[in-house]
Amino acid sequence: MGDKEVQEEEGGLAEGAPAAGGMSSIIKWLIYVAAAIFGIIIVTVISMFVAQKTATSVFKQQKNISLVKAPPPLDIYSFPDEFRINTADVGESHFVKLKMSLGFEAAQPALSQELSMRVAQMQNIINLIIARKTKDDLKTITNQLDLREEIKAHLNHILTNGKIKEIYFTEFLVN
């Protein structure tokens, strides 16, 4: 018996005859295209769902921010003189000119008196902190906010009758 006869007896087809379970290449390509289109549709639906959830979440956060009451105003201590400090830049000479105020909780006369008594000490601390910064360290808003926090931490370390809540730069110029 030949190979053709064995295939016919086992239910197979002879050579050259198209397989019953096989697909033509056009049908395969149509299935691939349909699968790709289906995949694109799924990705688009998921993207729209995620975008909608994100937008809703941002809106809820903004809504919550607008509902928060403003904190009570702080008492202010303003330094009598402006600060003019050279930066730590090498090669090029730059300086910082700033006016600064300190905010602390209201009704603390002992802290207010302590602040006015420690003016020279606080100015020295601020001069030392800013003098070790470069122009690039003071350029961005983020760096200026970090500077405020650093000054606040150092000043609060020396105060005994209360703590500074905020540092306000009423003028800030880096040249």
Side-chain angles (χ1 to χ4, degrees):
M1 284 173 55
D3 287 335
K4 291 181 186 178
E5 293 172 355
V6 171
Q7 287 179 353
E8 288 176 3
E9 284 181 8
E10 293 177 356
L13 296 173
E15 246 180 72
M23 292 186 263
S24 71
S25 62
I26 294 175
I27 293 175
K28 285 182 183 179
W29 279 104
L30 289 175
I31 290 174
Y32 293 147
V33 169
I37 291 172
F38 182 71
I40 291 171
I41 290 171
I42 294 294
V43 168
T44 303
V45 168
I46 290 172
S47 299
M48 289 174 48
F49 179 73
V50 169
Q52 183 180 15
K53 288 293 183 185
T54 304
T56 302
S57 138
V58 169
F59 174 73
K60 285 180 183 177
Q61 289 174 357
Q62 289 175 350
K63 182 179 173 185
N64 289 342
I65 289 172
S66 65
L67 295 177
V68 175
K69 291 182 181 177
L74 299 173
D75 279 354
I76 301 295
Y77 174 81
S78 295
F79 283 95
D81 299 319
E82 64 185 25
F83 292 87
R84 292 184 190 154
I85 307 158
N86 290 327
T87 62
D89 290 304
V90 179
E92 249 183 84
S93 179
H94 296 285
F95 72 93
V96 177
K97 177 183 171 188
L98 67 95
K99 290 183 182 178
M100 189 169 62
S101 298
L102 310 174
F104 56 95
E105 287 185 10
Q108 290 188 357
L111 179 58
S112 181
Q113 184 179 7
E114 182 180 12
L115 290 173
S116 60
M117 290 173 47
R118 292 186 183 261
V119 170
Q121 188 179 11
M122 291 187 302
Q123 286 176 332
N124 181 51
I125 290 170
I126 294 165
N127 284 334
L128 291 173
I129 290 171
I130 294 175
R132 69 174 190 236
K133 304 286 184 185
T134 64
K135 179 182 178 183
D136 292 335
D137 292 338
L138 301 170
K139 267 183 170 177
T140 65
I141 297 296
T142 305
N143 290 345
Q144 290 176 16
L145 293 173
D146 290 343
L147 176 65
R148 285 175 35 182
E149 292 302 315
E150 184 178 357
I151 291 171
K152 182 169 64 171
H154 280 80
L155 294 182
N156 279 336
H157 184 71
I158 64 166
L159 297 174
T160 58
N161 294 321
K163 299 294 178 194
I164 296 168
K165 296 291 182 189
E166 290 292 332
I167 302 281
Y168 302 111
F169 294 137
T170 54
E171 182 180 330
F172 194 93
L173 174 71
V174 180
N175 184 4

